[in-house]
Amino acid sequence: MIRLLTIDGNRNRAQALAMECLEQGMAVRMAETLCEGVRYLLDAPVSLVLAEAGMLRMATGDQARLFEAVAPGVPVVLTVDAGAQVEDLVTLELQGFRVMTRPFALGDLLAKIELPANGAPARRDARERVAAVCR
């Protein structure tokens, strides 16, 4: 079963996506903040993380390292508004994120990624890293 974690401050948008995922037989967990999302990743494996790029208020390299620490090998897709700057999108993709412009169809999201069979457990030092970011 595909297990999706959404990190999105727009509850209505996240709930609409969650309902579509549930209809497709996917398990969904919703977080409204980055800290809530990474804390969830410490305790439960997921197949895919979908996060609103604007919620990640840290340097891009730090974002990538944080997700790799708490969800090694799990694809992270960042969503952006249609008017996002091309340079910003390229920077995110160079850091290893997949980027999708909102709105998007669930099928397009699933086609863009390769899902791992099972999420790897968080690295041992991940809790300290999360504590440093989420005070």
Side-chain angles (χ1 to χ4, degrees):
M1 171 182 277
I2 297 172
R3 295 175 308 278
L4 169 70
L5 170 64
T6 65
I7 303 172
D8 195 328
N10 183 322
R11 182 181 287 254
N12 291 333
R13 180 173 56 215
Q15 287 177 338
L17 177 65
M19 291 304 297
E20 189 176 353
C21 290
L22 290 171
E23 289 171 2
Q24 298 298 317
M26 298 170 61
V28 181
R29 171 70 182 200
M30 297 186 311
E32 292 186 16
T33 67
L34 174 63
C35 290
E36 183 182 349
V38 294
R39 285 184 182 123
Y40 178 77
L41 288 170
L42 289 172
D43 296 324
V46 299
S47 309
L48 171 64
V49 176
L50 179 67
E52 180 184 354
M55 298 202 60
L56 309 181
R57 303 197 195 310
M58 56 180 28
T60 306
D62 292 339
Q63 296 167 357
R65 283 188 290 278
L66 176 64
F67 280 111
E68 188 57 31
V70 296
V74 174
V76 178
V77 177
L78 299 181
T79 61
V80 297
D81 291 324
Q85 299 292 321
V86 173
E87 296 83 11
D88 295 337
L89 303 179
V90 170
T91 299
L92 292 170
E93 288 184 348
L94 287 173
Q95 294 296 321
F97 295 111
R98 287 128 177 120
V99 180
M100 294 202 64
T101 303
R102 290 185 298 264
F104 58 85
L106 179 60
D108 292 340
L109 170 66
L110 296 176
K112 187 171 181 95
I113 56 158
E114 202 173 304
L115 295 172
N118 287 312
R123 290 183 8 197
R124 291 182 187 263
D125 64 343
R127 290 190 189 278
E128 291 81 24
R129 288 179 183 216
V130 170
V133 172
C134 301
R135 299 166 204 237

